[in-house]
Amino acid sequence: PLYFKLGYARAKFMSVVPFAAFMAGYCAFLSLARDSDVISGMSASLARLLGDGSLTAVMAAAALALAVFVSCRLSLAAYRKREF
């Protein structure tokens, strides 16, 4: 949907921003986890909650399906508004 809304040049840059923000947040979390007992305790609790990874795989598949659905709906809405 970004390519329809913003155009190719701006959308190309804007599509990279969420990945960069996620990686920066992940790196910040890892550096805080090394220094903080609270965050390391939270990550250990999350690891126990997720168990063997099957729940994580199901949640990842559901999140991916939702992202594709939302992307398609936004793209169709933007495409309908476009003039040729």
Side-chain angles (χ1 to χ4, degrees), residues 33-81:
R34 280 189 230 121
D35 298 336
S36 173
D37 292 335
V38 173
I39 294 178
S40 60
M42 285 175 24
S43 63
S45 297
L46 185 61
R48 280 193 305 271
L49 176 68
L50 294 177
D52 62 356
S54 60
L55 178 63
T56 306
V58 170
M59 288 173 45
L64 178 64
L66 179 67
V68 168
F69 176 76
V70 168
S71 177
C72 288
R73 296 288 292 190
L74 290 173
S75 294
L76 286 173
Y79 188 73
R80 286 187 191 120
K81 293 179 184 177

Side-chain angles (χ1 to χ4, degrees), residues 14-30:
M14 292 302 289
S15 65
V16 174
V17 170
F19 295 111
F22 176 76
M23 289 306 295
Y26 181 71
C27 290
F29 177 78
L30 287 180

